[in-house]
Amino acid sequence: MNIKREGKMATIDSSSGILSDRADHDAVVVGASLAGCTTAMLLARAGARVALVEKSPDPAAYKKMCSHFVQASGVPVFERLGLLEPIMAAGGVRTRFHAWTQWGWIEAPPEQAGLCLNLRRQVLDPLMREAAGSEPGVELIIGQSAERLLWNGETIAGVVVRDRDGHETKLRAPLTVGADGRDSRVAELSGVPVKTRPHGRIAYGGYFEGAAPPLAPDTAMWMLDPQWCAAFPTDNDLTFYAAMVTKDRLPDFKRNPEEALVKIVSDVPEAPPIRDGRLVEPVVGKIDMLNRARRQTAPGLALVGDAALAIDPLFGVGCGWALQSGEWLADAIAPALHGAEPLARGLNRYRRRHTRELRGHAYMLHDYATGRKFSPPEKLLFQAAIRDPQVASAFDRVGTRRTKPIGEMVRILPRVVAANTRRSLAA
């Protein structure tokens, strides 16, 4: 792996620049997790010289508060990167998802259900970082944090990074990418507009060994209205049990996180065997999950992953959208990399695609993140999905983010009405 550590930067020949021959790199990507590694690898494969900056000095660092669930919509990015086979060899679990409601289980026919993926972040993140650091054209720089941006008038022209000893390095590039998560330092420094929305739940989860859930290797979630919990079978025969509950439950989790998690999961209908398992590492939790939607671009800047859209993690969209947004950005600016058009045009193309693909999902998730109970239309949809396989398949396509929600719901509406009408007549 080609790693530069804490201030020990190599001199890079700028004569081969694609976007600019006056910069150290064609792109500087801040954050070497899923979004950043994806972006860096695909930009490099398009011919760019990329500096990939990670603030942690440990190449094996990983995101600890994450369900690790990768939606079916994001798995093709792994395939494109050539990483799906190594991921499966590392213990990845392909998984469909089943949703329990008070009317029964919503389960798409197996041949129509999306295949998602489970692999612990402590395995996945180092694997991605290793691959990115080994990619020709990528310089992986670890142990450096973004301190301030470089500007050329109103255009961002790179970033200044600092190691733990205070040594600063200027990384100049026509494109700076913020891939540094929900609390993005790059986004903050850039001053891009941001909209925030409250979140009415807390999240706790932990890995257990022992008896597998009955639906394993598939993922199961219980939509308890308004509480929620889930079981994610993953590598090493572990299961990640998670709960996202309204904030009035916080005292129980603060007092004893493991006890509170075990209780809520073991009390659900058709409960998985969490009480027969053993917690293998401490339960982790997150209390503040303020939703943030930032403008995805500015002159010389793009935001990917949670830096662009940090949204309710209840439906496990973060990993998949990190992968997809990195891919969308790399594809959008490919013409600019080869001098076919200005960079600004490619950035506008990325912003439009990001908005087009995720706006509808974001609207729905922001609304449900308040901790509210199911709406009447949602109840009708769930009841229909129990009885009609085509409605269940539509629910699965939206739930695994393989399609846009509004168009899918309009298309399936007649079947929802028909299924509920038949139910009323039968009663």
Side-chain angles (χ1 to χ4, degrees), residues 41 45 71 88-89 100 106 114 132 142 151 180 194 262 277 303 307 328 349 385 389-390 410-411 422:
M41 293 175 72
R45 291 180 187 182
Q71 294 278 12
M88 297 305 297
W100 183 93
I106 301 177
I142 66 172
W151 295 82
D180 48 343
V194 57
V262 169
L303 302 177
W328 297 336
R349 187 182 301 113
Q390 293 307 308
V410 169
R411 187 186 67 80
R422 289 194 299 270

Side-chain angles (χ1 to χ4, degrees), residues 193-252:
V194 57
K195 293 182 180 179
T196 61
R197 293 174 175 83
H199 199 293
R201 294 188 178 88
I202 57 174
Y204 281 83
Y207 287 95
F208 287 73
E209 64 179 7
L215 292 174
D218 286 351
T219 292
M221 61 181 66
W222 286 262
M223 303 174 72
L224 302 170
D225 195 20
Q227 317 304 340
W228 177 97
C229 61
F232 300 92
T234 189
D235 59 285
N236 268 8
D237 296 322
L238 298 174
T239 300
F240 184 75
Y241 288 109
M244 289 189 66
V245 297
T246 49
K247 289 186 175 179
D248 58 293
R249 302 287 188 94
L250 181 57
D252 293 337

Side-chain angles (χ1 to χ4, degrees), residues 309-356:
L309 183 60
I311 205 164
D312 184 9
L314 185 147
F315 293 98
V317 294
C319 293
W321 288 357
L323 298 165
Q324 289 177 275
S325 59
E327 179 181 50
W328 297 336
L329 174 61
D331 289 346
I333 68 167
L337 286 171
H338 298 286
E341 66 181 25
L343 176 61
R345 185 174 298 174
L347 291 176
N348 285 337
R349 187 182 301 113
Y350 166 64
R351 178 176 53 81
R352 292 194 301 269
R353 182 170 187 185
H354 192 285
T355 300
R356 183 174 66 251

Side-chain angles (χ1 to χ4, degrees), residues 67-89:
S67 70
H68 74 242
F69 182 66
V70 180
Q71 294 278 12
S73 61
V75 174
V77 182
F78 284 140
E79 295 182 287
R80 178 176 175 178
L81 293 171
L83 293 179
L84 186 56
E85 186 174 332
I87 283 171
M88 297 305 297

Side-chain angles (χ1 to χ4, degrees), residues 54-371:
E54 170 56 42
K55 66 181 179 180
S56 174
D58 181 6
Y62 63 95
K63 185 175 181 179
K64 293 181 173 59
M65 186 56 201
C66 179
S67 70
H68 74 242
F69 182 66
V70 180
Q71 294 278 12
S73 61
V75 174
V77 182
F78 284 140
E79 295 182 287
R80 178 176 175 178
L81 293 171
L83 293 179
L84 186 56
E85 186 174 332
I87 283 171
M88 297 305 297
V93 176
R94 298 305 302 272
T95 177
R96 300 176 178 88
F97 89 90
H98 308 249
W100 183 93
T101 74
Q102 65 187 77
W103 303 279
W105 286 95
I106 301 177
E107 300 170 306
E111 67 277 8
Q112 297 183 30
L115 271 177
C116 308
L117 189 144
N118 285 328
L119 181 65
R120 287 176 299 157
R121 294 294 295 269
Q122 68 188 82
V123 180
L124 178 59
D125 287 11
L127 186 154
M128 288 282 290
R129 201 169 293 122
E130 170 76 26
S134 300
E135 187 74 35
V138 175
E139 295 283 341
L140 177 57
I141 306 165
I142 66 172
Q144 305 267 352
S145 60
E147 290 302 309
R148 58 188 183 277
L149 298 177
L150 298 171
W151 295 82
N152 181 9
E154 297 297 316
T155 300
I156 294 170
V159 63
V160 178
V161 297
R162 178 185 294 175
D163 65 20
R164 291 186 296 175
D165 296 326
H167 180 268
E168 292 188 349
T169 303
K170 293 180 179 180
L171 302 175
R172 300 184 184 277
L175 175 64
T176 299
V177 180
D180 48 343
R182 176 182 289 267
D183 299 317
S184 171
R185 173 70 171 161
V186 171
E188 178 187 358
L189 291 169
S190 72
V192 294
V194 57
K195 293 182 180 179
T196 61
R197 293 174 175 83
H199 199 293
R201 294 188 178 88
I202 57 174
Y204 281 83
Y207 287 95
F208 287 73
E209 64 179 7
L215 292 174
D218 286 351
T219 292
M221 61 181 66
W222 286 262
M223 303 174 72
L224 302 170
D225 195 20
Q227 317 304 340
W228 177 97
C229 61
F232 300 92
T234 189
D235 59 285
N236 268 8
D237 296 322
L238 298 174
T239 300
F240 184 75
Y241 288 109
M244 289 189 66
V245 297
T246 49
K247 289 186 175 179
D248 58 293
R249 302 287 188 94
L250 181 57
D252 293 337
F253 280 89
K254 278 193 168 183
R255 183 169 53 251
N256 190 321
E258 179 181 352
E259 181 180 281
L261 177 64
V262 169
K263 176 170 173 47
I264 190 169
V265 173
S266 62
D267 283 350
V268 302
E270 302 178 52
I274 187 172
R275 289 194 182 277
D276 298 329
R278 185 183 73 85
L279 185 68
V280 298
E281 55 188 49
V283 168
V284 294
K286 193 169 182 64
I287 298 172
D288 179 14
M289 295 182 290
L290 183 70
N291 293 310
R292 293 189 180 95
R294 298 182 175 96
R295 183 178 175 86
Q296 303 95 333
T297 63
L301 173 75
L303 302 177
V304 293
D306 281 353
L309 183 60
I311 205 164
D312 184 9
L314 185 147
F315 293 98
V317 294
C319 293
W321 288 357
L323 298 165
Q324 289 177 275
S325 59
E327 179 181 50
W328 297 336
L329 174 61
D331 289 346
I333 68 167
L337 286 171
H338 298 286
E341 66 181 25
L343 176 61
R345 185 174 298 174
L347 291 176
N348 285 337
R349 187 182 301 113
Y350 166 64
R351 178 176 53 81
R352 292 194 301 269
R353 182 170 187 185
H354 192 285
T355 300
R356 183 174 66 251
E357 297 286 350
L358 301 186
R359 177 172 51 193
H361 291 289
Y363 176 82
M364 295 177 63
L365 299 186
H366 284 315
D367 180 53
Y368 192 61
T370 58

